[in-house]
Amino acid sequence: MTHLWIRAEQRENEDRVGITAEGAKQLLDKGFRVTIEESSVRALPLQPYIDAGCEIAPENSWPDAPQDAIIFGLKELPEDGSPLRHRHIMFGHAYKGQHSGVALLKRFKAGGGTLYDLEYLVDETGRRVAAFGYWAGYAGAAITLKCWAAQQRGSICGPVGVYKDKDALQADLAAELGSVASETPTAIVIGALGRVGSGASDLLTAMGIAVTKWDMAETASGGPFPEILQHDLFINCILALPGTPVFVPELAKISPRKLTAIGDVACDPDSDYNPIPVYDRATTWGAPALRVQDVPPLDVMAIDNLPSLLPAESSVDYATQLLPTLATLDNLQTGVWARAKAEFDTHTENLNNGDIA
């Protein structure tokens, strides 16, 4: 019997979950065993999972789960160095040169476990079967707009928190923009044709912001891209990969520019392929903006779990996309899961061979 163990999220400001109670019920009806941990922060309530027939476990008890359980969460595990003996489904952030990823892979090697990275669950064409991209873009554009508004007040963006839904977020933004005596800003979104870029563009358009939409065709030259500096806001929705152009070089901090707020939704500052090398670390919910230049100001927003700004909506959307793939967990040897396992094996072998350090 396939045993799916839904763990509580242990990362701060992470309220999402990757499966709804309705989805759990479908897996139970298929013959799966489903355990869900109690959670003090999860956006979706526990009772519907109980009503569906899920077994309930204490919060953060997954290390003691049966060996055959598949542990399912979204964001990172505590960085305590402990060996990982289970099969885990989560966003590992371990395959693109991220320095923290090496430590994670070493933990799997030490414990004999396996990572099925959610970012690498792909169909036969290489397209991800599920993504939070739309809501990441939506939330990222919203917080970047907050950063710009704070600049107009002569300050820097303060802490942000969870919103009940997108209507509440838009209402808050409208009030904040209404208090700023300034012209409406302009924005450029790179990656506008993808899910992330669509979310960012939709939020900005809803707030009355003029949006320039770029994608692969507009960036094929490889740069430089002085047009980016002529907008007030830049939202990057392109993942950092080999060959990704540099969109905002270090020199841009002291160059003539209109640009004062960057939202790096892709958020890979510790990648060797970072297309926005004006900054070197992610920002946080408590301090969303990193000021990289004082005069004129240039702030970077680079929160790496943006969809949790709208945890209920983003959870339901993502869970709906992922459920058909979760329903095939009883056959890990083919399809999506086999491809994810092959990706893990490749990077673990590279680790063993010393190709990454």
Side-chain angles (χ1 to χ4, degrees):
M1 179 182 294
T2 301
H3 185 185
L4 183 65
W5 184 291
I6 306 159
R7 62 175 170 87
E9 296 295 328
Q10 294 175 260
R11 176 175 172 165
E12 187 178 8
N13 298 313
E14 185 51 77
D15 301 354
R16 292 173 294 168
V17 63
I19 186 170
T20 64
E22 293 79 8
K25 179 66 164 59
Q26 290 189 39
L27 297 186
L28 288 163
D29 290 345
K30 193 171 186 265
F32 285 29
R33 179 182 176 188
V34 180
T35 299
I36 185 167
E37 292 183 358
E38 298 169 318
S39 171
S40 56
V41 298
R42 188 180 295 127
L44 302 185
L46 183 63
Q47 189 59 49
Y49 293 92
I50 297 174
D51 296 341
C54 296
E55 301 173 41
I56 309 303
E59 189 166 11
N60 304 331
S61 60
W62 61 266
D64 299 321
Q67 179 65 42
D68 66 349
I70 301 171
I71 312 300
F72 177 30
L74 294 178
K75 298 300 287 185
E76 300 92 334
L77 301 171
E79 295 181 358
D80 57 13
S82 60
L84 297 171
R85 62 186 180 90
H86 292 96
R87 293 167 293 178
H88 281 259
I89 302 170
M90 65 176 181
F91 287 104
H93 305 296
Y95 297 162
K96 293 189 296 182
Q98 300 99 323
H99 305 303
S100 60
V102 176
L104 179 65
L105 291 176
K106 287 180 177 178
R107 292 173 67 187
F108 276 108
K109 178 184 176 183
T114 301
L115 169 64
Y116 293 95
D117 196 308
L118 288 165
E119 188 175 344
Y120 293 84
L121 299 186
V122 297
D123 63 19
E124 58 277 2
T125 71
R127 181 176 175 81
R128 286 170 63 176
V129 299
F132 280 103
Y134 180 87
W135 295 104
Y138 199 95
I143 300 176
T144 307
L145 194 52
K146 279 180 167 287
C147 291
W148 178 86
Q151 291 172 348
Q152 309 315 300
R153 299 191 299 269
S155 62
I156 192 166
C157 186
V160 295
V162 169
Y163 288 87
K164 177 184 177 182
D165 53 35
K166 68 177 184 178
D167 292 338
L169 171 59
Q170 287 188 21
D172 181 52
L173 275 176
E176 190 162 356
L177 293 175
S179 68
V180 175
S182 178
E183 295 182 2
T184 302
T186 60
I188 182 169
V189 175
I190 296 186
L193 297 182
R195 288 181 280 205
V196 180
S198 295
S201 298
D202 285 354
L203 179 282
L204 293 166
T205 300
M207 302 312 301
I209 309 300
V211 183
T212 299
K213 299 179 182 180
W214 279 15
D215 208 88
M216 293 179 66
E218 291 80 6
T219 60
S221 68
F225 303 107
E227 298 93 336
I228 296 174
L229 303 185
Q230 301 311 309
H231 293 77
D232 298 287
L233 286 73
F234 162 44
I235 312 296
N236 175 47
C237 304
I238 300 294
L239 287 171
L241 296 170
T244 300
V246 171
F247 297 133
V248 183
E250 176 75 14
L251 187 62
K253 293 195 288 189
I254 57 173
S255 300
R257 57 180 163 80
K258 189 178 180 184
L259 180 70
T260 61
I262 298 172
D264 190 7
V265 179
C267 191
D268 271 322
D270 63 346
S271 169
D272 294 335
Y273 315 115
N274 179 13
I276 308 173
V278 298
Y279 84 111
D280 60 1
R281 60 189 183 274
T283 61
T284 67
W285 290 55
L290 175 65
R291 181 148 294 175
V292 297
Q293 185 70 19
D294 291 322
V295 182
L298 181 60
D299 293 337
V300 179
M301 186 292 306
I303 295 172
D304 61 2
N305 64 330
L306 284 164
S308 207
L309 194 77
L310 295 165
E313 285 164 308
S314 61
S315 291
V316 171
D317 181 23
Y318 185 79
T320 300
Q321 298 174 53
L322 186 62
L323 182 60
T325 300
L326 288 179
T328 66
L329 272 172
D330 53 353
N331 185 7
L332 290 171
Q333 286 69 49
T334 61
V336 172
W337 301 109
R339 285 187 284 271
K341 176 63 161 55
E343 194 76 38
F344 171 77
D345 289 341
T346 295
H347 288 277
T348 303
E349 182 179 352
N350 289 342
L351 179 69
N352 293 339
N353 292 338
D355 293 344
I356 55 179

